[in-house]
């Protein structure tokens, strides 16, 4: 049995960006977050030597990127930033 996915919370600033995205881009953000919730450390990072910042993750797919913080004790992700180069 696989573990439950992490809960996803969206910061106020990221929610504003998400609300302003076209529907197809917002759907892609939710797809990225679903993958991150299932495996928060699954997205490869540019600098894997930074162990202090290991819980701040960056997931990028095409023109979209999502920065999120993994709260291990609460088993949740908090979306800090969303960038769409559309």
């Amino acid at each position: 049995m696989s573990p439950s996915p992490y809960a996803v919370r969206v910061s106020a600033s990221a929610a504003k960006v998400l609300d302003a995205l076209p529907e197809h881009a917002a759907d892609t953000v939710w797809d990225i977050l679903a993958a991150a919730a299932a495996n928060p450390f699954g997205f490869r990072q540019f600098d894997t030597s930074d162990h202090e910042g290991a819980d701040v993750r960056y997931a990028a797919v095409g023109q979209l990127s999502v920065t999120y913080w993994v709260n291990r004790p609460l088993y949740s992700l908090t979306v800090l930033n969303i960038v769409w180069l559309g």
Side-chain angles (χ1 to χ4, degrees):
M1 183 175 180
S2 63
S4 299
Y6 278 55
V8 176
R9 294 172 172 79
V10 181
S11 70
S13 60
K16 288 179 186 177
V17 174
L18 187 59
D19 287 343
L21 290 176
E23 186 178 350
H24 71 279
D27 290 344
T28 304
V29 168
W30 287 113
D31 290 343
I32 292 170
L33 291 174
N39 183 7
F41 300 99
F43 288 96
R44 183 180 168 110
Q45 299 302 292
F46 294 109
D47 183 8
T48 57
S49 64
D50 180 16
H51 299 292
E52 276 188 32
D55 289 340
V56 175
R57 309 298 289 177
Y58 175 79
V61 176
Q63 297 173 298
L64 277 164
S65 65
V66 177
T67 305
Y68 59 93
W69 171 58
V70 181
N71 186 330
R72 294 181 202 210
L74 294 180
Y75 211 68
S76 68
L77 306 177
T78 300
V79 179
L80 303 173
N81 192 25
I82 299 169
V83 176
W84 179 50
L85 303 173

